[in-house]
Amino acid sequence: MRTNRIRTIAVAATALVAALSLTACGGEDKAMGTKPAGAVDTATPAATGTDDKAQSDAPKAGEPETQTVPAEGKHAGGNGNGKKPETAPNEKAAPSIPACTPKNSTVKVSSVSRPINHLLLTVTNTGSTDCAAYYAPFLRFDDAQSVYPVLDDSKPQAVVTLSPGQEAYAGISLLGEPGQNEPVKSDNLGVIMVDKNNESKGESTLKLPAETYTDSLGFVTYWQSDVENALMF
């Protein structure tokens, strides 16, 4: 019986030693950063490479922080080198079209049947290049000290540009409502052409149709590309 007891103690001691050995081995593996074959390290994230890349891209102590330059052709709004596009040093604004003036055009005034109490002003490009009929003509009847009123509502969507031989038109309303002002007979009409800055570029003097009467309530339109638009006001 004593022998059996000793044998039982010996077996227990052997089992204890084996358990301690396994524990010691596991601790040593963990300390050395190794793991048994087939074991899964749950503390390690999935192998995406993002953590390692973040650590490798992070600036080291004492090194200046840098920014990643976009790949060529990928920079939105740029020219492929990470810089904003620049205006070419020799690039110039497109030249404006010269104004129609007494030097490159002629002006005439004529009667119309409709509407009543209206005249039609016509400018013709007599030059060899394009010219622009800017704004409205400034009109002076006889020796008037002020120019005729311009109808703002007649302003076209774009400046009328004339090729050589082409025409532009302006309507002249001579009188307001009957009885509002005393009409005055006029014989001559001064027509002043202007440039894109609305500055005078010369005056032409025209003979008015016989029995032309005006008052202070009349107006002249902006230059129009066709007769209908000029006489619709």
Side-chain angles (χ1 to χ4, degrees):
M1 181 176 295
R2 182 179 180 181
T3 300
N4 292 338
R5 185 177 180 184
I6 293 174
R7 184 176 297 168
T8 300
I9 293 174
V11 172
T14 301
L16 178 61
V17 171
L20 292 174
S21 297
L22 290 174
T23 302
C25 289
E28 182 179 359
D29 289 340
K30 186 173 181 180
M32 295 177 62
T34 61
K35 56 186 177 181
V40 177
D41 189 353
T42 57
T44 303
T48 59
T50 54
D51 286 1
D52 292 339
K53 186 177 186 303
Q55 293 178 2
S56 61
D57 289 345
K60 297 179 181 180
E63 291 184 355
E65 184 177 355
T66 58
Q67 295 181 349
T68 303
V69 178
E72 184 173 355
K74 299 295 184 180
H75 183 61
N79 53 12
N81 58 7
K83 298 180 180 179
K84 294 182 179 180
E86 298 180 356
T87 303
N90 295 327
E91 185 177 346
K92 297 181 180 179
S96 60
I97 300 174
C100 297
T101 71
K103 294 181 179 180
N104 60 16
S105 60
T106 59
V107 183
K108 68 177 182 179
V109 61
S110 56
S111 301
V112 294
S113 58
R114 290 288 186 272
I116 61 172
N117 298 323
H118 276 66
L119 297 176
L120 179 66
L121 201 62
T122 303
V123 58
T124 305
N125 181 354
T126 57
S128 58
T129 60
D130 292 353
C131 71
Y134 290 105
Y135 299 97
F138 290 163
L139 305 183
R140 291 193 301 182
F141 286 89
D142 290 334
D143 297 326
Q145 297 300 310
S146 59
V147 296
Y148 214 50
V150 174
L151 183 63
D152 288 339
D153 290 344
S154 66
K155 184 177 181 179
Q157 293 182 350
V159 174
V160 181
T161 301
L162 304 180
S163 298
Q166 286 188 325
E167 298 176 340
Y169 311 92
I172 304 173
S173 174
L174 298 172
L175 301 171
E177 294 295 329
Q180 289 183 321
N181 279 283
E182 183 68 26
V184 177
K185 187 176 183 295
S186 298
D187 297 318
N188 300 297
L189 177 66
V191 180
I192 302 171
M193 303 295 292
V194 298
D195 61 12
K196 67 176 183 178
N197 297 317
N198 210 12
E199 296 179 352
S200 172
K201 299 303 291 183
E203 181 175 0
S204 301
T205 301
L206 308 177
K207 187 70 176 178
L208 287 166
E211 301 300 314
T212 296
Y213 288 85
T214 64
D215 64 21
S216 59
L217 299 179
F219 59 80
V220 62
T221 70
Y222 277 72
W223 290 112
Q224 310 291 329
S225 59
D226 57 70
V227 175
E228 289 75 12
N229 287 340
L231 295 177
M232 66 181 294
F233 300 97

